[in-house]
Amino acid sequence: MDVYFSHHIFDRQTYGGISRYCTELHRGLRRAGMQSRIAAGLHINAYLDEVDEVWGARVSKRAGTNTARLQFNRCTDSLLRALLPETAIYHVTFHDRVVLPKRARLAFTVHDLIRERVAGPEAFAQPLSTRKRSLAELADVVFTVSHCTKRDLVELFDIPADKIFVTHLGTSFSRFTDVRPDDALAPYVLYVGARQGAADYKNFAQMVRALSSSRVGQEANLVCFGGGEFTSEQVDLLDRCGLRERTHLMKGDDRCLARLFAGARCLVYPSLYEGFGLPPLEAMTMGCPVVCSERSSIPEVVGSAAVFFDPEDVESMSSAIEQVYFDNQLRTTLSRRGRERSRQFQWSTTVKKTLDGYHYALQRKTAR
């Protein structure tokens, strides 16, 4: 069996959960003896520097070059799809286009249906949603990263449950056990990820209000990792809440984030909806206590190794953050439980379950 990952997500992400998933899956398939290749074309992704059998080259993300780069990748991808044999798996990495191989089996991973859940019926008419649904319907096998997302696919897109395989994500942060905590801003609570635009479901503003109303907000720094620059609205909110001077934006690679996890009093993860929730898993791997929303797939990931809150209730969130921040014994317990919990999420398991799905796809199409 030969597996080919498409270029699509590597056009979009330098760092990010989906491209990390694809890279780790490719790495694991090769370790398992599979012929796996990433047909990345001219890409901007940093993770591909870590693996072999990448067809393409990393280029700088310069203004004005994006259109030409994407056109080149689409042309080479079209040629690849035409040449792949029936025994190959073509694994689409993102739903920015509906692309079908001529003979190979089509695999597709749906990471979440957040837009459809949060925005409601109007989201179903948006191009990204219609393409996601089309690929899920046409695919010989569909993967999801949580049981929560599988239920959403069945309920919202009417995808047959028997062709959906749940493959939980693994954690890549176990390789950072030697890092020293980043305590330059200590004491601090940590927020990781997007904060604006289509990411309103991440609930950043509600977390700011919760911190402001708690005793934690009177003494702790707030460190935000990734997610781009603060918008003017976010700066105004931080100012009104008295947190602007103690809020710090950090950027960097996975090792930088691992150091922040290692030094934080806790990770606060206030999201209203997730398809998986990778930052809590990464935090648990580093022994960072997790305070998080009780919604969607997040409890599926953290189990009993976190303190939960209602993400729409400022008082509930504020109380949970205070509970963990000020209780040394609780933080020690959460750190131990988190490390134990994180060991249940291994990329080797992801690979094994993915191979089960690939074999299903080969048998399914052969039977048509």
Side-chain angles (χ1 to χ4, degrees):
M1 180 198 305
D2 290 354
V3 180
Y4 297 82
F5 290 91
S6 74
H7 66 92
H8 301 92
I9 194 60
F10 305 106
D11 290 340
R12 288 172 164 260
Q13 289 187 340
T14 302
Y15 298 97
I18 300 178
S19 56
R20 168 56 76 188
Y21 155 79
C22 295
T23 304
E24 292 293 347
L25 185 54
H26 165 71
R27 192 201 310 266
L29 288 168
R30 292 191 57 76
R31 286 175 177 168
M34 299 294 105
Q35 294 297 315
S36 177
R37 301 171 180 88
I38 297 179
L42 301 178
H43 67 87
I44 60 171
N45 191 263
Y47 299 137
L48 295 185
D49 296 341
E50 306 170 2
V51 293
D52 298 323
E53 287 298 327
V54 175
W55 291 359
R58 186 179 178 187
V59 296
S60 60
K61 192 176 180 180
R62 296 194 303 270
T65 64
N66 202 43
T67 299
R69 180 169 56 82
L70 293 180
Q71 287 177 343
F72 174 84
N73 288 346
R74 287 172 179 174
C75 288
T76 55
D77 180 68
S78 178
L79 180 62
L80 173 68
R81 286 184 281 112
L83 295 176
L84 291 180
E86 290 186 0
T87 54
I89 299 288
Y90 178 78
H91 197 141
V92 178
T93 58
F94 194 72
H95 49 277
D96 59 356
R97 297 186 78 202
V98 177
V99 289
L100 301 176
K102 186 174 182 179
R103 291 178 295 272
R105 278 57 169 173
L106 176 64
F108 178 48
T109 302
V110 177
H111 292 270
D112 61 72
L113 269 72
I114 292 171
R115 290 175 182 269
E116 293 79 3
R117 276 294 187 195
V118 175
E122 60 270 22
F124 287 76
Q126 298 300 314
L128 278 178
S129 183
T130 57
R131 290 193 288 261
K132 188 191 303 182
R133 182 169 191 161
S134 293
L135 281 167
E137 290 173 341
L138 293 166
D140 296 294
V141 62
V142 178
F143 299 103
T144 65
V145 295
S146 68
H147 291 284
C148 176
T149 300
K150 178 175 181 176
R151 290 191 295 271
D152 285 347
L153 267 178
V154 173
E155 178 185 343
L156 300 179
F157 284 177
D158 199 27
I159 304 300
D162 63 346
K163 81 167 186 177
I164 304 173
F165 285 68
V166 177
T167 56
H168 286 135
L169 301 181
T171 172
S172 307
F173 275 60
S174 54
R175 71 188 191 275
F176 295 131
T177 53
D178 62 330
V179 301
R180 298 181 62 181
D182 189 337
D183 53 8
L185 297 172
Y188 63 89
V189 298
L190 182 63
Y191 175 92
V192 175
R195 303 181 306 276
Q196 57 211 32
D200 285 348
Y201 69 91
K202 293 291 189 180
N203 214 21
F204 175 75
Q206 186 83 317
M207 185 204 66
V208 171
R209 288 188 283 268
L211 275 177
S212 176
S213 66
S214 73
R215 291 182 294 145
V216 176
Q218 298 172 19
E219 68 170 69
N221 285 311
L222 170 60
V223 175
C224 299
F225 183 87
E229 299 297 327
F230 291 114
T231 65
S232 58
E233 292 82 3
Q234 289 168 355
V235 172
D236 289 343
L237 175 63
L238 290 166
D239 200 19
R240 292 196 307 272
C241 291
L243 296 176
R244 182 174 178 180
E245 298 302 318
R246 284 181 284 111
T247 299
H248 306 271
L249 178 61
M250 304 288 285
K251 307 173 184 178
D253 57 13
D254 285 351
R255 179 171 287 273
C256 176
L257 179 54
R259 293 183 66 223
L260 290 171
F261 280 136
R265 286 285 185 100
C266 61
L267 169 75
V268 181
Y269 201 66
S271 183
L272 295 170
Y273 213 87
E274 289 294 329
F276 183 79
L278 195 55
L281 176 58
E282 294 168 342
M284 292 190 300
T285 305
M286 297 304 302
C288 176
V290 175
V291 190
C292 61
S293 166
E294 60 184 354
R295 298 286 179 85
S296 62
S297 64
I298 302 171
E300 188 177 332
V301 175
V302 301
S304 61
V307 170
F308 294 105
F309 53 73
D310 179 347
E312 296 185 271
D313 186 329
V314 169
E315 185 176 344
S316 172
M317 194 185 304
S318 176
S319 176
I321 296 170
E322 283 188 358
Q323 182 184 359
V324 174
Y325 184 91
F326 289 111
D327 190 331
N328 293 336
Q329 184 174 351
L330 176 58
R331 289 202 309 278
T332 299
T333 299
L334 291 174
S335 178
R336 174 180 55 80
R337 288 180 182 174
R339 290 184 189 276
E340 292 172 354
R341 178 71 178 175
S342 70
R343 296 188 189 106
Q344 298 181 30
F345 295 86
Q346 301 294 327
W347 286 117
S348 58
T349 304
T350 309
V351 171
K352 180 180 181 301
K353 292 183 177 180
T354 301
L355 282 171
D356 290 342
Y358 288 161
H359 287 301
Y360 169 87
L362 291 169
Q363 295 167 1
R364 183 172 184 265
K365 192 158 186 176
T366 300
R368 288 179 181 175

